[in-house]
Amino acid sequence: MPSVRRVSHEFLQRQGLTTVFGNPGSNELPFLAELPGSFRYVLGLHEGAVVGMADGYAQATGRPVLVNLHAASGSGNAMGALTNAVASRTPLVVVAGQQVRSAIGPQANLANVDAPALMKPLVCWAAEPACAQDVPRALAQAVFEAQLQRRPTYLSVPYDDWAAEADENCLPVLDRSVRLAATPDAEQGRRLAGQVAAARRPALVLGGDIDSAGLFDDAVRLAERLGGPVWAAPSQFRLPFPNRHPLFRGVLPAGIAPVSRAFEGHDLVLVLGAPVFRYHEYLPGRYLPEGTRLIQVTADASAAARAPMGEALVADPGAVIELLVKALDAPKTSVGDYRPAPEPLTAEGPRLHPEQVFAALRDALPRDTAYVVESTSTNSSWWRQMDLRRPGSYYFPAAGGLGFGLPGAVGVAMGQPGRPVVGVVGDGSANYGITALWTAAQHRVPLTIVLLRNGTYGALRWFGGLLGVPDAPGLDIPGLDFTRVAEGYGVPSRHVTGIDELRAVLAERPDHPRLVQVDTALTTPS
Ligand code: TZD
Ligand code: CA
C-alpha cells in the first residue's frame, strides 16, 4: 500500500490543486516530502501575505487553492487575511501541521491545542482526522466543502500521519468528484419571472458573486432588459457591472438609511449574488421604504438565511439571469451611451490628486487591466475616474482587513498570466502585506504596484470626523520610503513626482514586478 502522503498528493494532483501557497515549519515538512514535480510551492514570508496571494490566485483562477501554514502560530498570523477570503467567498483549503497525537494532550511545543476550534468562526469546516488512514478522505472533504460552500476550510494533520501506510479504503477518494447544480424548478422560475415582469419600477443590486461566477456580461444583458437602475451591493469584493454603463448608479452606501433612500420609489429590488446587505457605518432607519419588496437570489445559503428582510431564493444567479432574460420582453428604448469620466480634480502644491493618478491609469493601461485596490481614502476618486468594462477588472478586500492589496495583486497576476495587473495600494495598507514583494520578485511576476503616499491613515482621519474623534493619536505615518523597501525585497521601483512622468512610466510594460511611488494629496472616501 502507498503512504497516506502519496495518496494525498495524488488526490490533490487529480483535483488540480498543484500550486501551493505556504510558509512551512517543522510540523509541515513531512507533508512536503516527495512532492511530485508537477507541484509548485509558492513561498510567502508571512502568513498574511501567503493567504492574500492564495486568495488573489483562487479568485483569478476560480478554483480552490491549497494553503500550507505552520501549526497555531502560522494559522494565527493568517486569520486577519482569512476574514477577507470569507467575505469574497474564496475556496481556500488551509492545511496545517500538528504535533503527533500523543504529544497534543501534554502540550508539547508546537502542539496546536484544539486546532479546529482556533479557526472555526472563520472557516466553514475545520477538522483534525482521528487516525492517519482518514487523512486522504478528510483532505478531500476540505477541498469539496470549500468548493461547495465557497468559504475557506481548515485541516490540521499530525505530522507522522503522512508517512503512515494507507489502507485500501483510502483509495476510492481518488476518483471522487463533487458538483453543485442549483437551477430553480419550473414553478419557482415562473413565480420569480412573474414577480419581476409585474414590477413597475424594478431596481437591480448586484454582488461580487456575479463577477466571480463569470456573469458580468450576463448581468448587463439582464439590466438592459429591465431598463432600471443598477447598483453594486455595499462592501463588495468585485465589480459586478461596468461602472460607466448608463444604467449604473454606483456602489450602494454601506448604511441602512442611505440604502433605503436609494430604493425610494422602486416597487421591487432584485438582489443577485450578494448578501442583504453588508452595512458598515451605523446609520439607522427602515431597511426598505414603504411599498418596496426585495427578492434576493444567491447561491450562498447562509447569506439567504441571515438577511433581515426580503424573500430569498437559494439558486445559481446565472440560471436565474438566463431564465429572466428569456421571460422578459426586449426593451423598447435604448439605454443610452456609456458616460465619460469627468476632468480629474487637481491638488494645490507638489502632490498629485488621486483622481489624476487614476485618470492616468485609465488612459495609459490596457482596457483589460485587472486592478487590486486597497487605498481607503481614495474610494470616491477611484469611481469618478475609472472606466472598467471587462469581467475580473476589480478586486477589493471586502472584510476591510488591510493586507490583501499587495499580496492579492501578486496572486491575481500569477493566476492570470498574460493579463496586465496593477495593485493600487495606500502607504498604510502596503505594510500589512509588504513581504509579498519578495515572492513577486522571486517568481518574476509581471505586475505594477502603484503606491499612493499621503503620509497618513487617510480614511481613519475622515472616520475621526464622523465619529466625533478629531484628536486620535497614531494616525500619521511619515518617514516611509517604499522605493527603498521594495528594492530590499528585490523589486525595482520609481518615485514619480509629476503627472507626465507618471503617464510615461505607466506606458512601459516591464516583464517583472515594479513599484511606482506617487506622493498624493489627502482626500475623503466619499
Ligand atoms: N488593521 C487592519 C488589518 N485592517 C484595518 N482596516 C485597519 C487596521 C484600520 N484601517 C482602516 O480601516 S483604513 C486604515 C486603517 C489603518 C488606513 C489605511 O491607510 P492607507 O489608505 O494609507 O492604506 P488611505 O487612503 O490613506 O486611507
Ligand atoms: Ca495613506
Side-chain angles (χ1 to χ4, degrees):
M1 270 291 146
S3 65
V4 162
R5 172 173 50 230
R6 178 74 209 98
V7 177
S8 300
H9 287 167
E10 175 70 22
F11 172 78
L12 292 170
Q13 229 165 354
R14 291 194 189 187
Q15 296 291 328
L17 280 82
T18 49
T19 294
V20 183
F21 291 84
N23 186 275
S26 53
N27 283 359
E28 290 71 35
L29 297 180
F31 165 69
L32 298 175
E34 300 166 2
L35 205 59
S38 57
F39 278 75
R40 169 168 69 153
Y41 195 88
V42 181
L43 177 64
L45 301 184
H46 182 278
E47 292 80 0
V50 169
V51 169
M53 290 190 290
D55 189 347
Y57 188 86
Q59 288 197 55
T61 57
R63 302 261 316 126
V65 169
L66 197 73
V67 177
N68 183 229
L69 300 178
H70 180 50
S73 51
S75 302
N77 279 353
M79 285 175 86
L82 278 173
T83 64
N84 288 323
V86 171
S88 48
R89 307 190 67 229
T90 309
L92 297 182
V93 180
V94 180
V95 175
Q98 171 67 294
Q99 261 288 5
V100 301
R101 279 185 188 76
S102 60
I104 301 171
Q107 300 191 5
N109 200 10
L110 301 186
N112 187 355
V113 178
D114 204 351
L118 178 72
M119 309 304 280
K120 257 196 180 135
L122 288 176
V123 299
C124 70
W125 180 87
E128 193 168 271
C131 66
Q133 285 67 33
D134 192 40
V135 169
R137 188 211 59 79
L139 181 62
Q141 187 174 359
V143 172
F144 296 139
E145 297 271 11
Q147 183 186 309
L148 294 172
Q149 301 197 46
R150 298 205 73 86
R151 194 172 167 127
T153 54
Y154 185 77
L155 185 66
S156 163
V157 184
Y159 72 74
D160 56 338
D161 282 0
W162 298 107
E165 193 181 348
D167 64 28
E168 63 182 347
N169 281 340
C170 289
L171 303 182
V173 83
L174 291 174
D175 298 318
R176 294 208 64 214
S177 79
V178 174
R179 310 232 181 286
L180 188 69
T183 303
D185 66 27
E187 175 47 34
Q188 288 166 327
R190 258 195 309 274
R191 181 176 147 75
L192 181 65
Q195 286 170 316
V196 175
R200 284 174 298 102
R201 289 198 64 207
L204 199 55
V205 177
L206 303 171
D209 288 356
I210 296 299
D211 193 42
S212 65
L215 301 171
F216 187 92
D217 294 325
D218 303 83
V220 174
R221 285 196 297 133
L222 174 62
E224 293 184 355
R225 284 266 149 149
L226 282 174
V230 179
W231 278 277
S235 316
Q236 287 300 294
F237 55 101
R238 301 273 280 266
L239 176 68
F241 201 79
N243 76 303
R244 308 214 80 83
H245 188 283
L247 293 175
F248 194 58
R249 299 287 176 270
V251 181
L252 279 173
I256 296 170
V259 163
S260 183
R261 226 174 293 131
F263 296 155
E264 206 71 62
H266 291 284
D267 54 340
L268 176 70
V269 175
L270 179 62
V271 183
L272 296 179
V276 172
F277 285 112
R278 298 196 58 229
Y279 303 115
H280 179 182
E281 204 189 332
Y282 184 62
L283 300 169
R286 281 180 59 114
Y287 282 128
L288 291 172
E290 190 80 53
T292 302
R293 151 191 244 177
L294 183 144
I295 302 176
Q296 174 194 25
V297 176
T298 175
D300 180 352
S302 161
R306 69 177 180 263
M309 74 284 210
E311 246 177 76
L313 179 64
V314 179
D316 168 15
V320 168
I321 291 177
E322 209 181 300
L323 79 84
L324 287 179
V325 168
K326 274 202 195 120
L328 297 171
D329 295 333
K332 290 170 196 58
T333 51
S334 139
V335 294
D337 297 327
Y338 274 60
R339 288 183 300 242
E343 271 302 302
L345 298 174
T346 54
E348 310 230 320
R351 289 167 176 273
L352 292 180
H353 193 288
E355 284 201 20
Q356 294 176 283
V357 178
F358 302 150
L361 291 174
R362 182 196 64 219
D363 296 340
L365 289 158
R367 274 294 170 99
D368 66 334
T369 300
Y371 294 93
V372 183
V373 181
E374 192 173 70
S375 165
T376 46
S377 69
T378 56
N379 185 45
S380 59
S381 300
W382 173 263
W383 292 119
R384 265 170 56 88
Q385 289 304 323
M386 295 312 284
D387 185 345
L388 306 176
R389 301 187 185 193
R390 306 281 165 91
S393 290
Y394 175 79
Y395 298 80
F396 184 80
L402 300 178
F404 171 77
L406 215 158
V410 176
V412 170
M414 292 184 90
Q416 287 189 341
R419 186 164 184 179
V421 177
V422 172
V424 178
V425 185
D427 52 352
S429 300
N431 301 292
Y432 302 86
I434 197 76
T435 59
L437 286 173
W438 178 84
T439 307
Q442 292 298 313
H443 291 263
R444 222 183 147 75
V445 181
L447 163 77
T448 297
I449 299 294
V450 175
L451 192 298
L452 303 174
R453 189 169 70 156
N454 60 11
T456 188
Y457 287 156
L460 298 191
R461 287 217 201 181
W462 173 77
F463 253 112
L466 286 184
L467 300 175
V469 186
D471 54 351
L475 300 190
D476 286 336
I477 46 172
L480 283 166
D481 181 354
F482 290 90
T483 63
R484 293 170 67 186
V485 175
E487 298 280 351
Y489 280 116
V491 171
S493 49
R494 294 277 290 273
H495 182 197
V496 166
T497 49
I499 189 66
D500 294 334
E501 189 189 0
L502 176 64
R503 284 177 181 264
V505 167
L506 290 176
E508 296 164 13
R509 301 273 176 276
D511 61 356
H512 55 78
R514 60 168 173 171
L515 182 140
V516 180
Q517 173 172 276
V518 195
D519 290 335
T520 49
L522 182 60
T523 52
T524 55
S526 65

